[in-house]
Amino acid sequence: MKILVGIKRVIDYNVRIRVKSDGSGVETDGVKMSINPFDEIALEEALRIREAGNADEVIVVSLGGNECQQQLRTGLAMGADRAIQVDSAESLQPLTIARAFLKLVEKEQAGLVMLGKQAIDGDNSQTAQMLAALWGRPQATFASAVELSGNKAMVTREVDAGLERIEVDLPAVISVDLRLNEPRFVKLPDIMKAKRKPLEVIPVEDLGVAPENDLQFTSHTPPPVREKGIMVEDAAQLVAELKTRGLL
Amino acid sequence: MSNILIIAEHDGQNLNPSTAKCAQCATAIGLPFDIAVLGSSIADVAGQAATIAGTGTVYAVDAAHLGDPLAANHAQEVVAMASGYSHILGPSTTFGRDLMPRIAALLGVNQVTDISAVEGSHHFKRPIYAGNAVVDVVAPEAVTVVATVRVASWKAVDGSGSAAIESRPAAEAAVTHSRYIDLQSGGGERPDLQTASRVISGGRAMGSKENFDLIYSLADLIGAGTGASRAAVDAGFCPNDMQVGQTGKIIAPDLYIAFGISGAIQHVTGIKDAGTIVAVNKDADAPIFEIADIGLAADLFNVIPEMKQLLG
């Protein structure tokens, strides 16, 4: 079985986000970029599935310009067997990304697609569900445990009410949550080895997918700031202050 | 025709307050709205939905296979009833986040995520980058708008309505590729975190699962819901459904009290809309004090017992 893993290049989660003064987006010049943390967890899980003998090949996929090859190389260094960059000059919206993924799924005859439950830039949480819909296959979103047995996967999902379990037939799409695993650290020899692993570049047009960026993002603004309030000295003052404000 | 369809969230017995919040967003968009309740034996839930003020019609789609919360089944039902609607709205809870993109893809549109404000019928505001930026999104008028409503940004509309209820059978057969197994709920009798007017949270500094009893006992004293930082959940101090933040729950209680939470941006994004934020932390330099309305730099293991005594 082949597993496709989606990897998105995003601003590193430790970077303080600054909105550009002209409102056209957020500052990315000279900013550290990384693999979306959720995608790293998806890749780790795929590698573990392969290492347990339940998959033959793990393929990392990213959509974007050549700069996303950096993240694909990191994915290869973590242990993915090969990489595909779907080359696109413009930034693509989730429906187009899902359509491109579907083409790759068909091309590679993948048995499982693993994605992060959301990317920490757009916070959309859409691609996995959209891919599953277009593919007509199961979706198991927000996974915190995945158990494969034969042609089925038992997935524990982190939902608002607690932990939900669903069983899905493969092929399927799984989107992963934070507590699924802790991704491995990349070792130096693996980085060297990754340079020799295959990385294929496919223009998005060659997949027969036309960008449908139908949502327009017209303006970015910084969020309203919460002002720093007052400090109290002890529990008694705190309770008194809350009572004065009618909160207790 | 230009109408809004709201997808109701419920657990089979009770309508989730997120539905009335979606109705508030629909009211802001300014078009007539209907509510779809999908499930099994849902007469009661449909009745509750009918009380949401401003509702046109409640469509109760009742079928055994809709009793399980499988997005694949629910999405195809919604698509079957989508024609004639200009907007389809669902909540930004895990229920809506699972379901709505599947509906959007089946309808061939991108989804507008987490609407926090309405500027026009197809012009919305939403937070991105964990709330570090707000973006204006304009959706095309020629296609259906499928969107999730950021529930923490909207107040529930009142329950003074009495809409007509129309029952209909499911249009589609159940999918066979997915099976619901069970739900293990971490929560007890406390108020629901996402709708509680008061929330008390603990962070990594709580130190252990046992010490979280301090949070629970104080919460019970003032009728609060309980939450936690990601660090506390990761450490196994409390169940995942208590996590507040970018990747957990986004909440907007009147009063939020954080004990031993440093205030990582990913946590703060989950509480930004709270009425009053109180922070108690030993570390006077903790970033949470920058956004707290009331701060107390002190040891929570002294403060909580003292508060309990003062309030008991």
Side-chain angles (χ1 to χ4, degrees):
Chain A
M1 180 177 77
K2 290 183 190 176
I3 306 179
L4 285 188
V5 179
I7 282 186
K8 187 174 186 185
R9 173 184 165 93
V10 298
I11 295 177
D12 188 85
Y13 78 102
N14 279 315
V15 171
R16 199 184 176 90
I17 301 297
R18 287 189 11 252
V19 175
K20 286 183 186 167
S21 51
D22 66 359
S24 63
V26 304
E27 206 59 71
T28 51
D29 285 352
V31 164
K32 185 184 175 197
M33 304 297 284
S34 300
I35 297 181
N36 176 41
F38 292 95
D39 300 344
E40 221 176 335
I41 294 167
L43 174 54
E44 175 64 36
E45 196 66 16
L47 295 174
R48 290 183 190 189
I49 290 170
R50 188 193 63 195
E51 283 158 6
N54 291 321
D56 310 303
E57 196 178 26
V58 173
I59 306 163
V60 283
V61 178
S62 193
L63 289 86
N66 287 344
E67 61 282 352
C68 72
Q69 290 185 8
Q70 200 186 340
Q71 279 64 44
L72 287 171
R73 289 287 174 202
T74 307
L76 292 170
M78 274 179 74
D81 299 288
R82 57 191 173 93
I84 299 172
Q85 176 204 347
V86 177
D87 189 34
S88 166
E90 69 178 305
S91 150
L92 302 172
Q93 291 176 13
L95 182 64
T96 307
I97 294 170
R99 289 198 199 282
F101 254 98
L102 181 59
K103 295 290 182 185
L104 293 179
V105 162
E106 288 165 352
K107 184 168 177 265
E108 299 286 350
Q109 291 294 300
L112 186 59
V113 179
M114 304 205 63
L115 302 165
K117 78 160 179 178
Q118 72 195 73
I120 59 167
D121 48 6
D123 285 333
N124 272 319
S125 189
Q126 295 181 25
T127 305
Q129 298 88 313
M130 288 185 157
L131 170 59
L134 299 173
W135 194 8
R137 294 303 306 168
Q139 66 188 50
T141 52
F142 326 140
S144 66
V146 176
E147 252 178 89
L148 291 191
S149 70
N151 207 30
K152 294 182 176 65
M154 180 71 81
V155 179
T156 304
R157 306 179 55 230
E158 292 207 2
V159 295
D160 289 340
L163 296 172
E164 179 190 296
R165 289 192 307 162
I166 62 171
E167 186 185 61
V168 295
D169 296 339
L170 303 183
V173 183
I174 297 178
S175 87
V176 310
D177 215 320
L178 288 173
R179 276 173 285 273
L180 180 58
N181 61 47
E182 273 196 42
R184 63 196 65 189
F185 286 105
V186 172
K187 296 187 215 71
L188 191 59
D190 296 328
I191 296 174
M192 304 311 289
K193 248 190 277 174
K195 287 183 180 159
R196 292 192 297 273
K197 289 185 179 176
L199 191 160
E200 184 184 358
V201 181
I202 307 176
V204 68
E205 303 79 42
D206 288 10
L207 290 175
V209 174
E212 294 163 278
N213 286 349
D214 52 5
L215 299 180
Q216 290 179 295
F217 301 102
T218 54
S219 163
H220 295 69
T221 44
V225 238
R226 278 191 90 103
E227 298 296 329
K228 190 182 162 96
I230 59 160
M231 296 296 286
V232 293
E233 295 302 316
D234 54 31
Q237 271 190 25
L238 173 58
V239 169
E241 183 64 34
L242 290 173
K243 283 188 170 161
T244 309
R245 298 188 188 198
L247 292 165
L248 281 180
Chain B
M1 187 170 63
S2 181
N3 277 346
I4 299 171
L5 182 65
I6 295 171
I7 313 305
E9 176 173 12
H10 63 89
D11 61 5
Q13 270 102 45
N14 294 303
L15 190 68
N16 190 297
S18 65
T19 307
K21 293 180 176 189
C22 288
Q24 186 72 262
C25 180
T27 306
I29 292 170
L31 298 170
F33 65 87
D34 298 327
I35 298 179
V37 179
L38 282 64
S40 170
S41 307
I42 43 164
D44 281 359
V45 179
Q48 294 163 40
T51 68
I52 290 178
T55 307
T57 304
V58 173
Y59 294 102
V61 186
D62 204 326
H65 71 272
L66 296 175
D68 294 332
L70 287 173
N73 281 331
H74 285 224
Q76 60 185 15
E77 268 330 304
V78 174
V79 169
M81 61 197 299
S83 91
Y85 289 102
S86 57
H87 296 62
I88 301 178
L89 302 182
S92 63
T93 55
T94 52
F95 163 78
R97 294 214 313 265
D98 188 42
L99 174 63
M100 301 310 287
R102 190 157 182 129
I103 295 170
L106 292 175
L107 292 174
V109 298
N110 278 294
Q111 178 196 272
V112 180
T113 303
D114 284 346
I115 294 178
S116 59
V118 170
E119 302 288 312
S121 68
H122 290 72
H123 182 179
F124 314 100
K125 284 186 186 291
R126 62 158 301 211
I128 53 173
Y129 288 96
N132 283 300
V134 176
V135 66
D136 281 73
V137 186
V138 177
E141 302 205 6
V143 295
T144 314
V145 176
V146 177
T148 57
V149 173
R150 186 175 182 273
V151 290
S153 300
W154 301 91
K155 296 238 179 291
V157 300
D158 67 62
S160 62
S162 56
I165 301 172
E166 196 183 308
S167 292
R168 41 170 81 170
E172 307 282 344
V175 299
T176 54
H177 55 54
S178 306
R179 289 163 294 279
Y180 172 82
I181 306 295
D182 58 12
L183 173 72
Q184 200 189 339
S185 185
E189 302 297 301
R190 291 189 189 88
D192 175 56
L193 181 53
Q194 276 164 310
T195 51
S197 60
R198 296 166 174 171
V199 170
I200 298 191
S201 278
R204 197 204 311 262
M206 293 307 300
S208 72
K209 195 174 176 175
E210 291 67 36
N211 288 346
F212 249 83
D213 287 342
L214 283 169
I215 297 285
Y216 302 138
S217 59
L218 181 59
D220 290 344
L221 208 53
I222 63 167
T226 55
S229 68
R230 180 191 161 196
V233 178
D234 282 355
F237 299 166
C238 51
N240 70 287
D241 50 24
M242 282 171 61
Q243 185 175 321
V244 172
Q246 181 187 17
T247 62
K249 289 176 182 164
I250 312 274
I251 59 173
D254 297 331
L255 173 64
Y256 183 78
I257 311 183
F259 288 101
I261 291 178
S262 63
I265 184 69
Q266 289 83 0
H267 183 75
V268 169
T269 193
I271 59 169
K272 267 184 186 166
D273 297 304
T276 299
I277 296 175
V278 176
V280 178
N281 200 306
K282 231 168 27 179
D283 174 10
D285 296 325
I288 196 157
F289 288 125
E290 293 304 313
I291 57 118
D293 299 289
I294 307 174
L296 171 54
D299 189 342
L300 67 95
F301 293 106
N302 297 328
V303 173
I304 297 180
E306 283 166 32
M307 285 182 76
K308 279 170 66 180
Q309 210 170 14
L310 289 159
L311 295 165

